[in-house]
């Protein structure tokens, strides 16, 4: 079935169609999805501009009701949407259903936020004058999302954008249009006026520039790689647009001598390998102190041997495939780079076959652990974005903190320890936007700020109340009484 773009409230045929395939079984074709060109993109922006005056002033109850309906439908259909997501992106069915559930809650949360957009009333320094500070929508916002969270990341951009009165042009990752289309179809039927929300599927290399530089776009919210993010930041600066970037990570997980070994192993396995390591918050640098190092490596090796890799939809699969052939190649390339740099391969390190014995040629990679690595190695400096982690041995807490912070990124950082002193110090001194104590670096709540520092992020935080910083602009009004 061919799936069209949504422009001005109508489904519009694309100039071309791309085929969406299942990474667990590339012979399984999920569907054909429209590819917008620059002209269609421009039509989407114009439709959003036309819808903006009424949507932004039409009252918050209509917005709250629409977002609530969208959230309710997503939650009611979580199993079906989760299956679609697992089939197109490759995370396991339970992981995919959890992602869909999160998307539903995000819409419900921002439905409620519609009526909570508070301002401030201050006395003026001039007698008889009052000062009001209020927030207004930005206008038409362009939302660009990556492939690794095909419904949650779109949800955490679209929901606040609409809640605060903006109109949207949404460009999902070309690799995962099915979840985006399903979400758009739900939004379309939610009762929001035509043009308020527009879907423009297709390749970023074809229409990215047209979206980012379009004079009708007031702001761009982007999640994806550092290279594309930086390019977009430059374009936004040149064209005077507000920009928000969430990019890569090389997240550290510190394990101290006094950590509970079983707990530390479990949280490292979860955050390094679950979702095939394809999470910006995945921990890929396991920084382990001398006294626990050997026991930790032995326990990790044993635990990893039991992980079942295979078809995302098969019962009992714990680790799905890489999302694409290109991502699988990247994972294998970094494994070779690590070997060549002198890292010791403890577990994995190759293509895998499906644990069910189906023989399907999915893009499977064995969860891989390197030991005897140094902070300077490329495997510890560059984002792999696959089920690949490395152990860095350190003498004690101070060195662990230094190594954890020795990175160009700063998204999430974790520590496993029984020491309140070290946990407290780490929370204060880890150079990351999110810090986890005795929890995996990946796995966050939907109602609190999400984002990082250094090369991981640029601009205001996403999610929770902090989302209003990006999706609104502040006005200061003076009135003579
Ligand atoms: P990507 O290649 O940068 O693509 C992200 C999005 O940008 C896609 O929709 C892509 O379209 C689009 N794009 C590509 N070129 C563009 C251009 N010139 N102008 C405008 N848009 C353009 O990233 P990805 O491979 O999809 O995602 C993986 C990356 O995302 C990793 O680095 C990961 O760490 C990061 N990530 C970060 C977070 C976070 O919150 N910090 C969360 C998730 C993922 P196409 O699909 O057509 O290429």
């Amino acid at each position: 079935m061919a799936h069209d773009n949504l422009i001005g409230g109508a489904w519009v045929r694309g100039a071309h169609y791309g085929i969406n395939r299942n990474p667990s079984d590339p012979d399984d074709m999920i569907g054909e999805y429209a590819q917008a060109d620059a002209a269609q993109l421009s039509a989407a922006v114009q439709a959003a501009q036309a819808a903006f005056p009424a949507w932004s002033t039409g009252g918050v109850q209509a917005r709250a009701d629409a977002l609530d309906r969208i959230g309710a439908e997503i939650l009611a259909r979580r199993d079906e949407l989760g299956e679609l997501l697992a089939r197109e992106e490759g995370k396991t069915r339970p992981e995919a259903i959890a992602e869909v559930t999160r998307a539903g809650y995000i819409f419900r949360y921002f439905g409620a936020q519609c009526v909570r957009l508070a301002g401030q009333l201050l006395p003026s320094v001039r007698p008889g004058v009052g000062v009001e500070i209020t927030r207004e929508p930005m206008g038409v916002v362009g939302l660009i999302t990556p492939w690794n969270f095909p419904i949650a990341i779109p949800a955490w951009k679209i929901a606040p954008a609409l809640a605060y009165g903006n109109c949207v042009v949404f460009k999902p990752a070309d690799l995962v249009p099915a979840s985006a289309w399903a979400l758009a179809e739900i939004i379309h039927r939610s009762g929001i006026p035509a043009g308020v929300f527009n879907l423009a599927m297709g390749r970023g290399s074809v229409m990215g520039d047209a979206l980012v530089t379009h004079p009708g776009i007031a702001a761009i919210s982007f999640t994806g790689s550092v290279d594309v993010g930086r390019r977009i930041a430059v374009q936004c600066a040149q064209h005077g647009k507000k920009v928000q970037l969430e990019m890569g990570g090389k997240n550290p997980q510190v394990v101290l001598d006094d950590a509970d070994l079983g707990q530390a192993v479990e949280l490292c396995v979860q955050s390094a390998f679950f979702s095939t390591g394809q999470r910006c918050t995945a921990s890929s640098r396991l920084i382990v102190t001398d006294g626990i190092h050997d026991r930790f490596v032995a326990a990790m090796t044993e635990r990893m041997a039991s992980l079942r890799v295979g078809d995302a939809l098969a019962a009992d699969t714990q680790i799905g495939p890489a999302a694409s052939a290109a991502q699988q190649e990247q994972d294998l390339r970094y494994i070779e780079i690590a070997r060549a740099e002198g890292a010791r391969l403890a577990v994995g390190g190759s293509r895998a076959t499906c644990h069910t014995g189906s023989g399907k040629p999915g893009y499977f990679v064995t969860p891989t652990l390197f030991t005897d690595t140094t902070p300077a190695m490329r495997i510890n400096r560059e984002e792999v974005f696959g089920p690949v982690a490395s152990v860095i041995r350190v003498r004690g807490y101070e060195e662990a903190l230094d190594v954890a912070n020795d990175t160009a990124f700063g998204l999430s950082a974790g520590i496993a320890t029984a020491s309140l002193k070290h946990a407290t110090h780490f929370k204060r001194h880890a150079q990351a936007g999110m810090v986890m104590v005795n929890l995996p670096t990946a796995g966050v709540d939907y109602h609190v700020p999400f984002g990082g520092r250094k090369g991981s992020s640029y601009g205001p935080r996403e999610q929770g109340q902090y989302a209003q910083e990006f999706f609104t602009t502040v006005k200061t009004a003076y009135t003579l009484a």
Side-chain angles (χ1 to χ4, degrees), residues 290-349:
D290 263 338
I292 197 171
H293 177 275
D294 294 354
R295 284 181 293 135
F296 175 81
V297 170
M300 281 291 284
T301 306
E302 190 185 332
R303 174 72 177 88
M304 288 173 66
S306 70
L307 291 173
R308 289 182 298 276
V309 178
D311 187 335
L313 291 173
D316 299 336
T317 293
Q318 291 172 301
I319 312 281
S324 64
Q327 185 58 53
Q328 184 193 40
E329 285 309 316
Q330 176 163 311
D331 297 349
L332 296 171
R333 194 165 62 247
Y334 271 104
I335 288 168
E336 283 318 308
I337 289 169
R339 277 182 163 143
E341 284 180 310
R344 190 179 78 79
L345 182 65
V347 189

Side-chain angles (χ1 to χ4, degrees), residues 100 207 411 450 468:
V100 171
M207 63 164 156
L411 189 57
F450 177 96
Q468 69 183 26

Side-chain angles (χ1 to χ4, degrees), residues 5 102 114 120 172 179 193 197 227 252 258 284 327 373 438 440 450:
N5 281 318
R102 179 184 177 151
C114 292
Q120 279 182 303
S179 299
F197 171 84
D227 287 350
D258 63 10
S284 50
Q327 185 58 53
T373 73
N438 294 324
F450 177 96

Side-chain angles (χ1 to χ4, degrees), residues 145 147-148 171 174 203-204 223-225 246-248 280 383 450:
T145 57
W147 50 258
N148 65 327
K171 187 242 153 318
D174 192 45
R203 297 204 61 82
T223 300
S225 63
E246 285 299 339
M247 300 171 284
C280 51
E383 185 181 51
F450 177 96

Side-chain angles (χ1 to χ4, degrees), residues 213-249:
T213 64
H214 196 293
I217 293 279
I220 293 284
S221 178
F222 166 87
T223 300
S225 63
V226 172
D227 287 350
V228 175
R230 288 199 172 144
R231 175 194 166 102
I232 287 174
V234 170
Q235 289 175 317
C236 285
Q238 281 169 340
H239 289 82
K241 295 179 198 302
K242 194 171 181 180
V243 65
Q244 171 183 60
L245 308 175
E246 285 299 339
M247 300 171 284

Side-chain angles (χ1 to χ4, degrees), residues 86-141:
R87 194 171 154 215
E88 82 166 346
E89 194 270 350
K91 62 185 63 168
T92 64
R93 189 194 297 264
E95 288 170 337
I97 292 171
E99 182 183 335
V100 171
T101 303
R102 179 184 177 151
Y105 286 143
I106 289 168
F107 274 96
R108 288 217 315 214
Y109 171 85
F110 280 106
Q113 287 301 107
C114 292
V115 294
R116 293 202 180 105
L117 192 62
Q120 279 182 303
L121 191 59
L122 296 176
S124 166
V125 293
R126 287 169 281 168
V129 174
V131 187
E132 279 169 37
I133 303 164
T134 52
R135 289 184 177 274
E136 295 182 359
M138 290 296 302
V140 179
V141 295

Side-chain angles (χ1 to χ4, degrees), residues 140-319:
V140 179
V141 295
L143 309 180
I144 303 174
T145 57
W147 50 258
N148 65 327
F149 282 92
I151 195 163
I153 293 180
W156 83 52
K157 293 184 191 297
I158 295 166
L162 297 178
Y164 298 131
N166 301 281
C167 292
V168 167
V169 177
F170 168 40
K171 187 242 153 318
D174 192 45
L175 194 63
V176 289
S179 299
W181 191 90
L183 176 59
E185 202 268 334
I186 293 171
I187 296 172
H188 179 53
R189 283 188 291 95
S190 70
I192 64 166
V196 168
F197 171 84
N198 302 274
L199 171 72
M201 299 178 289
R203 297 204 61 82
S205 54
V206 173
M207 63 164 156
D209 288 355
L211 176 60
V212 175
T213 64
H214 196 293
I217 293 279
I220 293 284
S221 178
F222 166 87
T223 300
S225 63
V226 172
D227 287 350
V228 175
R230 288 199 172 144
R231 175 194 166 102
I232 287 174
V234 170
Q235 289 175 317
C236 285
Q238 281 169 340
H239 289 82
K241 295 179 198 302
K242 194 171 181 180
V243 65
Q244 171 183 60
L245 308 175
E246 285 299 339
M247 300 171 284
K250 194 71 201 171
N251 306 296
Q253 172 63 57
V254 170
V255 179
L256 296 186
D257 286 355
D258 63 10
D260 175 321
L261 181 64
Q263 184 186 57
V265 166
E266 205 46 47
L267 66 87
C268 286
V269 165
Q270 275 196 31
S271 59
F273 307 120
F274 282 22
S275 296
T276 322
Q278 296 173 152
R279 293 186 284 192
C280 51
T281 48
S283 51
S284 50
R285 295 183 298 138
L286 311 181
I287 302 163
V288 185
T289 49
D290 263 338
I292 197 171
H293 177 275
D294 294 354
R295 284 181 293 135
F296 175 81
V297 170
M300 281 291 284
T301 306
E302 190 185 332
R303 174 72 177 88
M304 288 173 66
S306 70
L307 291 173
R308 289 182 298 276
V309 178
D311 187 335
L313 291 173
D316 299 336
T317 293
Q318 291 172 301
I319 312 281

